[in-house]
Amino acid sequence: MDWPILSILIWLPIAAGIVVLAIGSERAVLGKQVALGASVLTFVLSVPLYTDFDTSTAALQFVEQVPWIERFNVFYHLGVDGISMPLILLTTFLTPLVVIAGWEVIKLRPAQYFASFLLLEGMMIGVFAAVDGLLFYIFWEAMLVPMFIIIGIWGGERRIYATMKFFLYTFFGSVFMLVALIYMYLKGGSYSIPDLHALPLSMQEQTLIFLAFLIAFAVKVPMWPVHTWLPDAHVEAPTGGSVILAAILLKMGGYGFVRFSMPIAPDASDALSWLMIALSLIAIVYIAVVALVQQDMKKLIAYSSIAHMGFVTLGFFVIYEMATSGDGALFALQGGMVQMISHGLVSGALFLCVGVLYDRMHTREISAYGGVANSMPKFAAFMVLFAMANVGLPGTSGFVGEFFVILGSYQANFWLAFCAATILVLGAAYTLWMVRRVVYGEVGNEHVAAMPDVDRREFFILGVLAVSVLLLGVWPAPLVDVMDATLTNLLEQVTRSKL
Amino acid sequence: MESIYLTIVLAPLAAAAIAGLLGSKIGRAGAHSVTILGVAISFALSLYVLWGLAFGDAEPYNGNVYEWAKIGNVTIAVGFLIDNLTALMMVVVTSVSLAVHVYTIGYMHDDPGYQRFFSYISLFTFSMLMLVMSNNLMQLFFGWEAVGLVSYLLIGFWFKRPSAVFANLKAFLVNRVGDFGFLLGIATLLYFAGSLDYAEIFAQAERIQGETINLWGATAVSALTVACICLFVGAMGKSAQVPLHVWLPDSMEGPTPISALIHAATMVTAGIFMVARMSPLFELSEAALAFVIVIGATTAFFMGLLGLVQQDIKRVVAYSTLSQLGYMTVALGASAYAASIFHLMTHAFFKALLFLAAGSVIIAMHHEQDIRKMGGLRKYLPITYWTFVIGTLALIGFPGFSGFFSKDALIEAVHASSLPGSGYAYWCVLLGVFVTALYSFRLLFVVFHGEERMDHHTKEHLHETPAVVTGPLIALAVPSVIVGWLTIEPILFGGFFEGAIFVRPEHDVLGEVGAEFHGPGAFVAHALTHSVTVYLAAAGALVAWFLYLKRPEIPGQLLERAGALYRLLANKYYFDWINENVIARATRAVGTGLWRVGDQLLIDGLIVNGSARAVGAIASAARRVQSGYLYHYAFAMVIALAALIGWFALRG
């Protein structure tokens, strides 16, 4: 390790964001070019994280550690393992696409818009790369600010309501996480995540800490019943905001469970796994049925996201219901992780599709469309492809995670897999019913007839995502392999009792 | 050999990609040339593979192409298992596909989506080949869902029609209900066998037979039975068995070439193939076999009855397909897997022929499909007529035609079976023969004979369809006649499927039938002297002649007399009504209820906004405390700090 790659990935976009702000909206083109250049460069620089990654070890890699606040034993400590590395790549991969997606669309204060995304990118990478709990917490909270601004300024009509709801929900959740972190610091004298993992805790302590983290992470995922901020936030957010929100911000909840809750409080996780599984299944079944009756495309995809994230939490917590000697637990964990990455791509792509339509018609109402395939055949092909990925069709990334989680859950209990597998029918029902009403049929009205097909910019974004979704579906091994050692180790760690 | 197998699957995929992505550049001729070339390559190589296995010294092949994912000790790969069962399926798929590709040039001649159509059917060929050539359950499921996707795209090909986009959604969802079971079946096998690879699973079949699952309380159920029934639920979706058959008639909204290729000859037989492939498992569970045979028999007879009351030329053939799929399923349940695959093969040829001939009629009639507006077409469409006659004779089992051999052997095998449910199944398939002949000849007579009922304009333009349409008809008519005679002996009684299909000795009904077998000629003679099936078929044809040619006024009078029965049939036993008005409506109502009451009223209204209001109320109370005097605030802070310190002190 010659150069501090993780620091560069965090601070390069943040610095570029400040530069873009300084350039200002008067010279918007230059600002956009800087934003695009910085985000592409960040992606290019992040590639060695994958290519130089040692897949044989669960140890942290690309580690950087310098004392930060020595008095409180806080370190600027970065590093990645098989869990965080793919999530960082997902972040660096999607940010340039989001910048391109906003290229011609954002007319209001473009510099601030693009700067927000760059700042957000750096902070999100910080969340995934932080090995110090306090550092993690700072990135976690700081990240809310650009997102808050993105929805609040470039959002729709009810954006203020949506931002307040988003902010209060997530802020409310993370306060409890801070309390838990401080408690553990007081007890163990360290914020370092590996130290927290090793910290001996009684059952009662574990339970309280687990619940504190649960509030923070459940809001983020989001899990039923703290999910209602998400549809509102998505509906009001601009396209880029929705993409990042669905693709990456939600993943932080899932990431939190495997990084904090389960290894820190393994016994409480075990004891409360029934609750987590129940909430996951509610997300899968209840939310899927709710998605069926949505009239707003973004709301529908938002509900679909909640249902799909239910697979993530199900995959993580179902491991406590089975013998860890078999392969079922590993299937479930892998499934949850693959689902996170895949959902990032697929939901991001779907929100971009809605964005393409919204830019032309300025409505998200399903009933305002109809027969889009007539005027936009290329777009229709993309939309159907991503819909199929959302449905979990084999050959797309959407299949892999669900497949693994269902196979894994079966090893715990037949009926768990049974409930989870209802997504096959319900997911297809709500997704394809939307496709039918939006894409197929006679041309709905003269506005639809006048819609131009995707231009080269849009084609590029959707094309890149389509290729990734297909590649990951046809050959998931490159993703599965980098996570294998870490997850095998994690499985051992989260099932070893601290009592 | 592996490169040959790769070429077989990749040639149609590459062609589909070229026609689909570059369709506007290569033009219409380019699109059909490249896809036909791709499928022709697959067909030629498939024939070569089958030839090598059947007549040469080629050995079955089982190997992986690449590792898809490895989880713990489970390696999931993409690979091929090429034995006689697979090779036969490959030839059936690629040959029918090739005929349909050529035919499509004529059928879709004026369609603006020409290139897209060719791309889809080539993609279908790829998917179907992946399905049949797989050596593991993951890839099987991939092919399974991929053919479902293409079916979805093709049923909705004319996406402007509301009925088409209704039908494709319905097809996908009903299939997904089946896949739901299928996936649970796969999960069961992974759990008990620790692998998704066929060979590894089959090697442990005996052990899994002894395992049990507790599904309801303490009731232990055989794991193998659960696995087989779950897998078969998948087959019920794909192969349209009652009650998951409802999508197939509606799938006729798609263009006719795909009705022939996908919804008659190949995709719908995927379920049959899968069960045959899984014979080492099904053989060990009599409960599963009984389930299979009862479902199949019900489909065979009751769906055939529906064919009697349809007025759309394609729907008659579609109900016939349902019924014939039921026959194949019955054979599976009777452990006569070879007979089932044999019927699958002959059916692929004659049913594709019937569909394409029906399509030829539809072209000639300017896309009119209502048989009440046809009649007397035989003099305008001689080639179509004679090929249709051949298809009909093959379907009803006219002695010597391909369908005769496969259906008679199948019925004999069911008769010989002693598995639970086989008695019921025997009566269903036997009476089904009469029904088959009745609806088949009804269709033949109403369309090609009798009074000419089309309007003047249509009649003026009636003429035989072009050679790209009639050519495939003739090409399919040949195997529809001869393939049974030529292949019954090796396929059913010559151990052709040895090593590919496993039958326990005590279930070997085909062995019993084979003991009486002394060549195809003797088989025909035996049927004429010892069996009622030929006479049942003849009776059906005769009744059809009487009702629809001799006394065409009688059917109308019959309908009036048998009002309740007719309504039952006309409403297709009310399956659709229940699905749409009970299941779909209830689900949407539950969704609306949960959303409005659960999300909006309770969570948002009461908890979220309620707590916001509560905060507001507290804030307005607190506003009184907010006096603006600095010392008030300082005082509050000191108290709070004291409380906090006190809490820590008392705890620690």
Side-chain angles (χ1 to χ4, degrees), chain A residues 161 165 169 183 186 224-229 232 286-287 289-290 292-295 299 303 327 330-331 334 373-374 384 388 391-395 399-400 403-404 406-407 410-411 414-415 417-419 421-426 428-429 432-433 435-436 439-442 472-478 480-481 484, chain B residues 66-74 76 78 120 137-138 141-143 145-146 149 152-153 156 159-162 165-166 168-169 172-173 176-177 179-181 183-184 186-192 194 196 213-216 226 230 584 587-592 594-595 597-600 603-604 608-609 648 651:
Chain A
Y161 172 75
K165 205 167 169 183
Y169 251 113
Y183 179 86
L186 293 177
W224 187 89
V226 286
H227 64 281
T228 57
W229 65 271
D232 284 317
Y286 170 119
I287 296 295
V289 180
V290 171
L292 201 57
V293 295
Q294 298 306 313
Q295 302 301 324
K299 262 202 171 135
Y303 276 107
D327 296 312
L330 209 50
F331 261 100
Q334 277 280 8
N374 296 288
V384 171
M388 283 298 168
V391 165
L393 199 82
F399 166 68
V400 186
F403 186 56
F404 287 170
I406 291 170
L407 292 182
Y410 188 95
Q411 318 231 340
F414 176 87
W415 294 107
F418 185 92
C419 291
T422 54
I423 194 86
L424 254 71
V425 182
L426 294 173
L432 295 183
W433 196 29
V435 168
R436 174 186 158 197
V439 175
Y440 292 139
E442 282 285 0
L472 204 54
V474 173
W475 195 35
V480 169
D481 289 348
D484 183 57
Chain B
Y66 70 92
E67 188 182 300
W68 188 73
K70 185 172 184 302
I71 313 278
N73 303 312
V74 182
I76 306 175
V78 169
Y120 286 173
L137 288 167
M138 188 285 294
F141 193 65
F142 166 80
E145 294 263 282
L149 165 72
Y152 168 82
L153 293 172
F159 54 77
K160 288 185 193 178
R161 292 186 188 171
V165 295
F166 172 78
N168 76 343
L169 182 61
F172 199 90
L173 290 184
R176 274 265 155 156
V177 174
D179 297 347
F180 169 81
L183 192 53
L184 289 177
I186 294 176
T188 311
L189 290 175
L190 177 75
Y191 182 42
F192 287 101
L196 293 178
I213 318 179
N214 289 339
L215 288 187
W216 295 274
V226 171
C230 284
T587 313
R588 284 200 299 272
V590 169
T592 312
L594 289 177
W595 180 40
V597 177
D599 270 30
Q600 292 191 330
I603 297 176
D604 263 7
V608 178
N609 296 343
F648 272 108
R651 275 188 69 257

Side-chain angles (χ1 to χ4, degrees), chain A residues 92-275:
Chain A
T92 60
F93 175 72
L94 283 174
T95 305
L97 296 182
V98 167
V99 170
I100 300 172
W103 197 265
E104 281 161 23
V105 183
I106 300 299
K107 304 274 190 263
L108 175 76
R109 304 189 197 178
Q112 284 88 333
Y113 178 84
F114 291 101
S116 303
F117 278 99
L118 288 173
L119 295 173
L120 189 56
E121 180 183 19
M123 291 163 185
M124 292 188 298
I125 295 172
V127 168
F128 293 127
V131 184
D132 187 279
L134 204 64
L135 190 64
F136 171 87
Y137 179 78
I138 289 167
F139 280 126
W140 173 278
E141 292 288 34
M143 192 180 69
L144 287 181
V145 178
M147 199 65 212
F148 180 84
I149 292 171
I150 288 167
I151 302 176
I153 294 182
W154 294 276
E157 278 171 20
R158 295 179 71 228
R159 58 181 181 269
I160 300 303
Y161 172 75
T163 22
M164 286 313 290
K165 205 167 169 183
F166 163 72
F167 192 81
L168 288 179
Y169 251 113
T170 46
F171 194 72
F172 171 80
S174 37
V175 166
F176 289 88
M177 175 167 73
L178 182 64
V179 170
L181 282 172
I182 292 174
Y183 179 86
M184 286 189 288
Y185 168 74
L186 293 177
K187 186 162 168 117
S190 167
Y191 282 111
S192 168
I193 294 173
D195 291 343
L196 300 181
H197 288 178
L199 188 69
L201 293 165
S202 72
M203 190 64 193
Q204 194 198 0
E205 288 170 315
Q206 282 193 36
T207 307
L208 289 172
I209 288 169
F210 182 86
L211 291 175
F213 277 122
L214 173 62
I215 295 170
F217 300 143
V219 164
K220 212 71 161 191
V221 166
M223 300 179 78
W224 187 89
V226 286
H227 64 281
T228 57
W229 65 271
L230 186 73
D232 284 317
H234 269 310
V235 165
E236 299 306 326
T239 301
S242 280
V243 172
I244 294 295
L245 185 59
I248 302 164
L249 256 61
L250 304 192
K251 306 302 168 294
M252 298 187 169
Y255 176 73
F257 284 123
V258 281
R259 182 62 85 218
F260 290 90
S261 310
M262 293 163 68
I264 290 174
D267 303 290
S269 300
D270 192 1
L272 290 172
S273 63
W274 62 271
L275 173 70

Side-chain angles (χ1 to χ4, degrees), chain A residues 1-9 44-46 48 52 62 64:
Chain A
M1 239 287 305
D2 305 313
W3 37 287
I5 183 167
L6 290 171
S7 282
I8 294 173
L9 293 181
V44 171
L45 292 173
S46 69
D52 294 349
F62 305 97
E64 298 167 33

Side-chain angles (χ1 to χ4, degrees), chain B residues 1-10 45 61 80:
Chain B
M1 282 306 274
E2 194 187 294
S3 57
I4 291 185
Y5 306 139
L6 272 177
T7 313
I8 290 173
V9 291
L10 293 181
L45 291 175
Y61 171 91
F80 298 130

